[in-house]
């Protein structure tokens, strides 16, 4: 798309659409998209492509028909394209249409997910899906998905949120007792707002405003910035303490910038063992920089593997289970309400240029990005080195850590429940980065998981 004269927005849509075809366990047209967009010499925009719970909702669950919110990704694509695209939408969607129409091979990761989720998919009506029961290396043709993408290319969001598309989605949900209806689909709108921005030395960190937990990254970064005399051997410990403290405010993420006024407690002498971050492993990230100076960071997701596992046969997609993100307090479930989202794309403005960063990993996103940002801002590492080095992840009371991490013994001595895992284990994320250093564009891929970087 870049080589064809498109903008970063055109390229982003193309990449996300391809991911929706080849990685339906992680993302899809039944899911959501969030993005931070910085145009040339323009303020950063936060695009919120997430949907609300049904207005007729009477119950909510973590799975199945009562876990589905209105899918937001299609309208987000159309909004992004309208504001920042240059190529026809059909040009950006063409690679994904071709893969769905002509066939793609089942990857090892997708084969594992299909096997593990076979029972859920069967319950959700996916036994007729071309992917159901298939194994690694199988060639899969998805004509219904190809047709849906083509209709979106021609008719835009109307092809999904009204008419046959909306009827097919709501029929699949109603057949299993869910409440989301055509009025909920038609009422959906993508929100465009200003990001939450946090000063950090000479840099500024931008994160997504509510309803995402990106503000938790802002809180942790602001807390770390206050520790300006911290010795290097305490960086990891302080970052762990700050993230665990920030996650105590997850349900209050709707307070947004107001949370930055809170000073997070940090005990530099020992681990507080607050716990907090949960274990979810999904999502996919895309970051793009173009020749005109536009930089975008984004994440796409259906939440759990294949989302709710509710299948829409006419469209060839499964629907999200994002209502499983409702918890308590300000984040309690209610009709027409968006739950707090785990998706947390970030953008760092530095004296040398702008960097877009994103990673999969649900609650691990905030933690992974904080470690990369500390390496770039405080230690002045280049982005590739910051992404490549070993990581940790606080999860349900344990401190998961890549076995080659040099701070393992130090962190254990401070009282963390250190649990070594093989280097590259999927819970440590897979960062994508793109941006500028001076006038030089860059794209960086993580060696963990399946990650690609391209330059045009």
């Amino acid at each position: 798309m870049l080589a064809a004269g498109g903008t970063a927005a055109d390229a982003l849509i193309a990449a996300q659409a391809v991911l929706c075809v080849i990685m339906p366990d992680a993302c899809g047209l039944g899911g959501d998209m969030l993005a931070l967009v910085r145009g040339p010499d323009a303020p950063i925009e936060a695009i919120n492509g997430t949907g609300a719970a049904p207005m007729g909702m009477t119950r909510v669950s973590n799975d199945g028909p009562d876990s589905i919110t209105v899918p937001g990704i299609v309208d987000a694509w159309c909004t992004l394209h309208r504001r920042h695209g240059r190529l026809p939408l059909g040009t950006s969607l063409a690679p994904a249409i071709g893969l769905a129409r002509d066939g793609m091979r089942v990857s090892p990761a997708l084969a594992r997910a299909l096997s593990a989720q076979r029972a859920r998919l069967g319950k959700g009506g996916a036994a007729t899906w071309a992917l159901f029961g298939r194994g690694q290396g199988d060639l899969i043709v998805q004509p219904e998905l190809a047709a849906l993408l083509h209709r979106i290319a021609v008719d835009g969001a109307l092809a999904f949120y009204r008419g046959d598309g909306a009827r097919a989605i709501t029929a699949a949900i109603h057949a299993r007792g869910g409440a989301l209806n055509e009025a909920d689909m038609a009422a959906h709108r993508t929100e465009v707002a200003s990001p939450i921005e946090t000063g950090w030395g000479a840099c500024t960190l931008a994160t997504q405003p509510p309803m995402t937990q990106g503000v938790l990254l802002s809180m942790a970064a602001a807390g770390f910035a206050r520790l300006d005399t911290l010795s290097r051997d305490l960086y990891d410990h302080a970052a762990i303490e700050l993230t665990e403290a920030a996650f105590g405010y997850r349900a209050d993420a709707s307070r947004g910038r107001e949370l930055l006024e809170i000073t997070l407690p940090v005990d530099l002498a020992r681990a507080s063992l607050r716990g907090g971050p949960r274990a979810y492993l999904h999502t996919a990230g895309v970051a793009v920089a173009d020749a005109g100076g536009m930089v975008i960071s984004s994440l796409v997701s259906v939440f759990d593997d294949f989302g709710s596992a509710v299948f829409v046969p006419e469209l060839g997609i499964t629907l999200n289970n994002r209502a499983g993100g409702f918890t308590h307090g300000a984040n309690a479930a209610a009709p027409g309400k968006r739950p707090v989202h785990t998706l947390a794309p970030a953008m760092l403005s530095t004296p040398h240029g702008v960097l877009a960063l994103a990673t999969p990993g649900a609650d691990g996103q905030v933690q992974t990005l904080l470690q990369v940002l500390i390496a770039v801002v405080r230690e002045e590492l280049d982005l590739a080195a910051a992404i490549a080095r070993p990581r940790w992840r606080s999860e349900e009371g344990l401190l998961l850590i890549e076995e080659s991490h040099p701070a393992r013994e130090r962190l254990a001595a401070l009282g963390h429940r250190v649990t070594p895992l093989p280097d590259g284990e999927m819970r440590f994320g897979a960062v994508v980065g793109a941006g500028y250093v001076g006038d030089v564009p860059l794209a960086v891929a993580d060696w963990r998981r399946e990650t690609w970087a391209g330059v045009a």
Side-chain angles (χ1 to χ4, degrees), residues 194-355:
S194 298
I196 293 174
E197 295 188 310
T198 309
W200 190 351
C203 301
T204 301
L205 173 65
T207 57
Q208 201 84 23
M211 289 295 295
T212 88
Q213 62 187 41
V215 67
L216 305 184
L217 174 59
S218 300
M219 293 177 73
F224 199 93
R226 295 185 188 106
L227 301 173
D228 54 359
T229 61
L230 186 68
S231 63
R232 173 66 189 85
D233 64 338
L234 287 174
Y235 281 10
D236 290 299
H237 170 66
I240 294 162
E241 293 293 294
L242 286 164
T243 52
E244 290 186 353
F247 270 93
Y249 295 90
R250 180 199 291 111
D252 296 313
S254 60
R255 293 168 61 185
R257 291 175 180 83
E258 179 186 334
L259 293 177
L260 297 180
E261 299 175 9
I262 297 170
T263 300
L264 298 173
V266 181
D267 188 338
L268 297 178
R270 62 183 178 84
S272 300
L273 301 177
R274 295 182 185 88
R278 305 159 299 180
Y280 295 111
L281 310 174
H282 314 281
T283 310
V286 180
V288 188
D290 68 24
M294 183 181 295
V295 180
I296 311 180
S297 173
S298 74
L299 287 159
V300 288
S301 176
V302 289
F303 206 20
D304 282 336
D305 271 348
F306 304 104
S308 64
V310 172
F311 181 65
V312 185
E314 298 89 343
L315 308 183
I317 61 173
T318 60
L319 300 169
N320 69 81
N321 66 326
R322 190 52 71 170
F326 285 119
T327 53
H328 59 276
N331 189 40
K337 182 178 177 181
R338 285 178 166 96
V340 170
H341 273 243
T342 54
L343 306 180
M347 190 169 289
L348 184 70
S349 299
T350 80
H352 311 293
V354 178
L355 302 175

Side-chain angles (χ1 to χ4, degrees), residues 27 43 96 121 128 145-146 157 169 174 187 236 309 332 336 349 393 396 409-410 414 434 447:
C27 56
L121 289 167
T128 60
L145 179 55
I169 289 168
H174 292 171
D236 290 299
S349 299
R393 172 178 175 146
E396 298 183 338
E409 293 184 4
R410 170 70 170 160
L414 286 166
W447 59 270

Side-chain angles (χ1 to χ4, degrees), residues 7-252:
T7 67
D10 297 313
L12 189 90
I13 293 167
Q16 289 184 353
V18 165
L19 288 172
C20 288
V21 173
I22 67 173
M23 294 177 61
D25 52 323
C27 56
L29 275 68
D32 302 300
M33 185 272 268
L34 287 141
L36 295 172
V37 183
R38 183 184 183 275
D41 304 315
I44 298 172
E45 295 178 353
I47 294 181
N48 182 342
T50 70
M55 289 302 296
M57 182 183 73
T58 58
R59 57 185 182 270
V60 67
S61 68
N62 295 323
D63 198 15
D66 295 320
S67 69
I68 300 167
T69 57
V70 177
I73 188 171
V74 172
D75 192 61
W77 283 345
C78 295
T79 299
L80 179 63
H81 180 261
R82 184 171 59 252
R83 297 174 72 88
H84 300 291
R86 183 182 300 146
L87 302 175
L89 182 60
T91 302
S92 291
L93 295 180
I97 293 171
L99 281 167
R101 181 191 62 228
D102 303 330
M104 61 97 175
R105 299 285 178 183
V106 175
S107 70
L110 178 55
R112 289 193 295 270
L114 287 165
S115 176
Q117 305 301 327
R118 183 184 176 97
R120 288 180 65 236
L121 289 167
K123 184 178 179 181
T128 60
W129 194 14
L131 280 161
F132 189 77
R134 306 303 287 271
Q136 179 179 336
D138 287 351
L139 181 65
I140 305 300
V141 177
Q142 303 178 73
E144 296 84 6
L145 179 55
L148 172 60
L149 287 164
H150 176 73
R151 290 195 297 273
I152 293 167
V154 174
D155 296 327
L158 291 177
F160 191 81
Y161 295 95
R162 295 178 184 269
D164 291 344
R167 280 191 290 272
I169 289 168
T170 56
I173 294 171
H174 292 171
R176 286 158 186 82
L180 193 146
N181 61 30
E182 290 184 56
D184 296 316
M185 293 289 293
H188 176 74
R189 297 293 184 274
T190 298
E191 295 183 355
V192 180
S194 298
I196 293 174
E197 295 188 310
T198 309
W200 190 351
C203 301
T204 301
L205 173 65
T207 57
Q208 201 84 23
M211 289 295 295
T212 88
Q213 62 187 41
V215 67
L216 305 184
L217 174 59
S218 300
M219 293 177 73
F224 199 93
R226 295 185 188 106
L227 301 173
D228 54 359
T229 61
L230 186 68
S231 63
R232 173 66 189 85
D233 64 338
L234 287 174
Y235 281 10
D236 290 299
H237 170 66
I240 294 162
E241 293 293 294
L242 286 164
T243 52
E244 290 186 353
F247 270 93
Y249 295 90
R250 180 199 291 111
D252 296 313

